[in-house]
């Protein structure tokens, strides 16, 4: 999280996921808990374009986008001190594990309990459903 961006209930969370159904499920989960969702994006270029235009409190990033690894997005977020949760089915591959060392990993298929736990640890987020108006940002 950047120094100027404190985590709040309506914190902006970048969502990068190429599987439409998974993206919709995760987006609904985040919105239901009062977060503003930046995305979801299914392409690196779109996420990279949105990062500098938003004060992000965190990001959930799928590692493999149709065969293209999301390391450019991860590196850009890290350069801006944005906390990241990496969603992947490839976490146990040695070369991936090495590059992702120190980042929290959300295994696929993801569960609400695991995401909630990781968000609390990584973003300091409380995860009670809010059922309040939520917003979706597609920048």
């Amino acid at each position: 999280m950047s120094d100027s961006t404190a985590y709040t209930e309506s914190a902006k969370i970048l969502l990068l996921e190429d599987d439409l159904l998974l993206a919709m499920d995760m987006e609904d989960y985040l919105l239901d808990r009062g977060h503003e969702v930046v995305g979801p994006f299914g392409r690196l270029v779109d996420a990279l374009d949105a990062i500098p235009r938003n004060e992000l409190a965190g990001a959930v990033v799928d590692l493999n986008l149709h065969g293209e690894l999301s390391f450019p997005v991860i590196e850009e977020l890290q350069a801006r001190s944005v906390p990241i949760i990496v969603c992947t089915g490839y976490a146990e591959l040695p070369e991936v594990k090495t590059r992702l060392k120190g980042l929290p990993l959300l295994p696929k298929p993801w569960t609400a309990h695991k995401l909630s736990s990781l968000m609390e640890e990584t973003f300091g987020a409380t995860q009670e459903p809010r059922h309040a108006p939520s917003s979706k940002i597609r920048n």
Side-chain angles (χ1 to χ4, degrees):
M1 183 172 344
S2 69
D3 292 337
S4 63
T5 307
Y7 190 87
T8 64
E9 287 181 10
S10 62
K12 290 183 182 180
I13 306 294
L14 179 106
L15 179 55
L16 178 61
E17 171 60 66
D18 64 341
D19 182 297
L20 183 59
L21 292 177
L22 289 176
M24 289 170 53
D25 282 348
M26 197 168 291
E27 178 184 32
D28 287 345
Y29 177 85
L30 294 169
L31 290 172
D32 187 45
R33 278 145 184 84
H35 304 296
E36 292 184 49
V37 177
V38 178
F41 301 109
R43 298 179 334 143
L44 293 177
V45 66
D46 296 330
L48 286 168
D49 183 54
I51 292 169
R53 296 186 293 120
N54 289 279
E55 287 293 321
L56 299 169
V60 180
V61 176
D62 181 13
L63 181 63
N64 185 345
L65 303 171
H66 299 292
E68 188 174 17
L69 297 179
S70 59
F71 288 115
V73 170
I74 292 169
E75 291 163 0
E76 182 65 23
L77 290 165
Q78 287 176 320
R80 294 171 181 274
S81 300
V82 175
I84 307 160
I85 296 171
V86 179
C87 188
T88 182
Y90 304 97
E92 294 307 313
L93 295 174
E95 63 275 7
V96 171
K97 203 172 194 176
T98 300
R99 282 196 75 184
L100 296 176
K101 187 175 182 171
L103 290 175
L105 302 178
L106 178 65
K108 285 186 175 181
W110 69 278
T111 65
H113 175 68
K114 182 65 175 171
L115 179 57
S116 175
S117 176
L118 283 174
M119 287 185 70
E120 187 171 333
E121 292 169 19
T122 308
F123 307 153
T126 58
Q127 295 302 300
E128 294 300 317
R130 305 264 182 238
H131 304 292
S134 53
S135 35
K136 177 180 177 180
I137 302 170
R138 198 167 217 28
N139 289 341

